[in-house]
Amino acid sequence: MRKNDEFELEITALSDEGLGIGKLDGFVWFVKGTLPGDTALCLAMKLKKNYGFARVKTLLKPSPERVTPRCAVEQRCGGCQLQALSYEAELRFKANKVREDLLRIGEVPAERLDAVTEAIVGMEEPSRYRNKAQVPFAAGEDGRPVAGFYAARSHRVIPWLDCDIGAKENARILEVLLAFTERFGIAPYDEESGRGLLRHALIRKSRATKSYMLCLIVNGKELPHWEALLQALQAADSEDARLETLVLNTNTRRDNVILGDTVRTLYGRGYIEDSIGDIRFRISPHSFYQVNPVQTEAMYGAALEFAALGGNETVWDLYCGIGTISLFLAQQAKKVYGVEIVPAAIRDAKENAKRNGIANAEFFTGAAEEVLPAWQREHPAQYIDVITVDPPRKGCDETALRTMVELAPKRIVYVSCNPSTLARDIKYLRANGYELTRVRPVDNFPRTMHVETVCLMSRVEEK
Ligand code: SAH
């Protein structure tokens, strides 16, 4: 086979990036825009030793699981990969991904997985769920500013305001912003030259208060005429989305990091508030906050259920963010300690504890793999009943895992946004005195390749 050769291929699987996978004469092909069950006439594009990338020339037989995408730019935008797959098939695919990783990477025996895995928790309506949008600005073809989403694996902006997994009010907010940039000649940032002012708009919406934060990331210290923007935004307020706060973030770096370090509040209090369950949270621009409030309740509900607290326990919550899981657990434990690396998030966590009248939670700023061992050295006799972890995609640091094992809690609840690092860490815990006793995948990110999993690891009693 050579570049530009045509061949017929049946797609049988999906890669982690959402590319269709098919095999032909022992050679593996990755084909963008295809789904398992499709048969396509493909065009070879790039060939490696054992695999290659191809493009669809004609879709000969579409998969029976295909649906009409709700979004017009789903083929070009890098945000969603599964808009053309039925939601039932998506849930099946994600449940299977979690299972396969736990089997292969985690080396958990199939019988154990069969015994402990619960049904994946999907959404009733898998659209309009994201409470956060990060929208880049760029110069459009005619030089005028456009806003939209990055194409897959690129920083090319696909102009599009109405993302179907985002809040429906975002389009209106972005229209107001674009009109403002035109009226006052505010130039969009250009990554190549490092010139231009407006880089990103970060919109965070609170389901509880029906209001939103707009954080504008600019390549400079000032946003000229922002008062006019404020007026225009307020004039566009609706019952479902009221401007709560307008903040300016300065980012003059030349790398890919979206937010710079300094924020200045132009209007409002500089943060928004949202509720999960009966706890109210304050969320600052720099703090991590779960993007799908509906599914987050299901996820934290699972964490709380698996932690099985009776009121007398001492608990550690590693990678605690603004204290979301910690404060949930604190309502049913004697004492909860939280640790998180972002200082602004810990400030929010402390404030959140105070505002909710929760006095039995204590928070530390720092890396879990440093704070936990240090605490262990200072409190050698203190027993920990339960540890929860909710690490970023790269999973837990091995020092953190080792310390957890040394502290020997009865239960470890692992909340994960990446099945493969989850499986790696579960392998470590299984080799060090713990058994996997519950697995519940939760679909926090419909239409994308991402899935959350909540696992319970129980300490095996020594005989
Ligand atoms: N449990 C929280 C946050 C989960 S996201 C929630 O559900 O909202 C993961 C968090 O881990 C982020 O807030 C990130 O800032 C933090 N983090 C990343 N590396 C860390 C480390 N080494 N030690 C502690 N926290 C870390």
Side-chain angles (χ1 to χ4, degrees):
M1 195 88 70
R2 287 207 218 114
K3 190 174 164 149
N4 288 328
D5 278 358
E6 283 180 19
F7 58 98
E8 199 177 308
L9 187 72
E10 193 193 332
I11 304 298
T12 52
L14 267 180
S15 77
D16 285 355
E17 290 77 38
L19 304 176
I21 301 177
K23 277 188 197 154
L24 199 66
D25 307 326
F27 199 79
V28 180
W29 287 102
F30 294 92
V31 193
K32 195 182 166 218
T34 57
L35 294 172
D38 283 340
T39 301
L41 185 63
C42 298
L43 196 64
M45 302 299 292
K46 211 195 278 173
L47 282 92
K48 304 272 185 188
K49 201 163 159 236
N50 306 313
Y51 66 94
F53 296 90
R55 219 156 44 85
V56 179
K57 211 166 165 221
T58 325
L59 190 57
L60 301 171
K61 190 169 82 47
S63 161
E65 321 249 50
R66 270 190 181 270
V67 294
T68 309
R70 287 172 51 107
C71 171
V73 295
E74 56 91 32
Q75 278 291 318
R76 290 184 289 143
C77 172
C80 292
Q81 294 77 33
L82 302 175
Q83 286 272 353
L85 188 64
S86 77
Y87 190 50
E88 299 82 72
E90 174 179 342
L91 290 177
R92 237 183 297 126
F93 166 76
K94 289 179 175 178
N96 193 48
K97 159 90 180 134
V98 172
R99 182 185 168 82
E100 283 295 309
D101 283 353
L102 287 172
L103 263 177
R104 265 186 323 106
I105 305 170
E107 293 175 17
V108 183
E111 313 79 67
R112 167 127 309 257
L113 280 176
D114 290 341
V116 302
T117 307
E118 302 168 22
I120 184 168
V121 183
M123 287 191 87
E124 228 159 83
E125 180 53 57
S127 62
R128 300 288 179 205
Y129 62 84
R130 280 187 68 97
N131 56 13
K132 169 181 166 183
Q134 265 171 173
V135 183
F137 286 77
E141 271 162 22
D142 59 2
R144 290 160 61 181
V146 294
F149 296 88
Y150 290 133
R153 286 180 304 280
S154 118
H155 271 199
R156 194 163 45 82
V157 175
I158 310 289
W160 187 248
L161 305 185
D162 189 21
C163 171
D164 189 66
I165 60 171
K168 67 176 187 316
E169 300 84 14
N170 288 350
R172 181 86 192 100
I173 298 165
L174 292 168
E175 274 166 18
V176 170
L177 246 173
L178 282 175
F180 165 77
T181 59
E182 289 229 3
R183 178 169 163 211
F184 293 102
I186 308 266
Y189 179 68
D190 173 44
E191 283 187 350
E192 297 267 299
S193 65
R195 283 202 281 270
L197 187 65
L198 186 54
R199 297 177 76 130
H200 273 87
L202 166 64
I203 308 172
R204 255 185 176 162
K205 200 189 153 186
S206 161
R207 191 169 61 128
T209 62
K210 295 189 169 185
S211 61
Y212 71 94
M213 159 193 291
L214 176 62
C215 172
L216 295 174
I217 296 108
V218 292
N219 177 34
K221 287 207 173 63
E222 302 292 333
L223 179 66
H225 310 288
W226 63 264
E227 295 88 346
L229 173 65
L230 175 62
Q231 253 182 13
L233 288 167
Q234 285 176 324
D237 271 354
S238 69
E239 218 170 80
D240 286 329
R242 191 176 45 80
L243 177 70
E244 173 82 39
T245 188
L246 177 64
V247 295
L248 196 64
N249 176 277
T250 294
N251 183 1
T252 53
R253 299 154 62 139
R254 296 292 296 267
D255 58 20
N256 281 344
V257 179
I258 294 180
L259 281 176
D261 293 333
T262 40
V263 269
R264 203 174 104 210
T265 304
L266 300 176
Y267 167 75
R269 292 176 294 183
Y271 58 83
I272 53 165
E273 293 182 319
D274 198 12
S275 311
I276 305 174
D278 50 10
I279 302 183
R280 188 161 267 238
F281 294 99
R282 168 181 114 167
I283 308 148
S284 303
H286 277 102
S287 301
F288 174 88
Y289 186 61
Q290 296 285 349
V291 297
N292 184 337
V294 174
Q295 293 302 89
T296 295
E297 275 184 5
M299 197 170 76
Y300 292 168
L304 194 62
E305 187 186 327
F306 291 5
L309 301 173
N312 222 358
E313 293 86 355
T314 303
V315 181
W316 268 90
D317 179 25
L318 311 184
Y319 313 89
C320 71
I322 59 172
T324 32
I325 297 178
S326 324
L327 298 182
F328 246 65
L329 298 174
Q331 295 175 306
Q332 297 185 12
K334 188 169 86 191
K335 176 88 194 195
V336 176
Y337 297 99
V339 54
E340 156 67 43
I341 208 160
V342 174
I346 286 293
R347 280 198 292 278
D348 284 352
K350 288 180 176 165
E351 188 62 33
N352 288 333
K354 213 188 295 165
R355 287 167 177 226
N356 288 283
I358 297 173
N360 59 337
E362 196 176 320
F363 293 98
F364 301 92
T365 310
E369 59 273 21
E370 288 168 15
V371 172
L372 193 62
W375 187 89
Q376 180 196 24
R377 281 194 295 278
E378 282 163 33
H379 304 82
Q382 171 79 63
Y383 178 64
I384 306 298
D385 298 271
V386 176
I387 297 181
T388 58
V389 301
D390 184 8
R393 288 189 64 74
K394 68 172 191 275
C396 291
D397 181 279
E398 200 171 316
T399 311
L401 287 173
R402 196 176 338 111
T403 313
M404 281 157 67
V405 166
E406 282 168 16
L407 288 168
K410 275 194 291 288
R411 287 181 289 283
I412 297 173
V413 180
Y414 197 131
V415 180
S416 161
C417 58
N418 184 350
S420 49
T421 56
L422 167 73
R424 179 200 67 201
D425 293 349
I426 282 196
K427 182 177 167 188
Y428 181 95
L429 293 172
R430 285 188 79 241
N432 288 282
Y434 285 84
E435 185 49 286
L436 180 62
T437 46
R438 291 184 83 168
V439 178
R440 188 184 296 170
V442 180
D443 187 20
N444 267 31
F445 314 104
R447 305 345 239 135
T448 77
M449 299 300 289
H450 299 290
V451 61
E452 291 269 344
T453 314
V454 188
C455 286
L456 175 63
M457 301 295 295
S458 305
R459 192 166 160 74
V460 181
E461 295 302 326
E462 275 150 40
K463 297 200 181 88

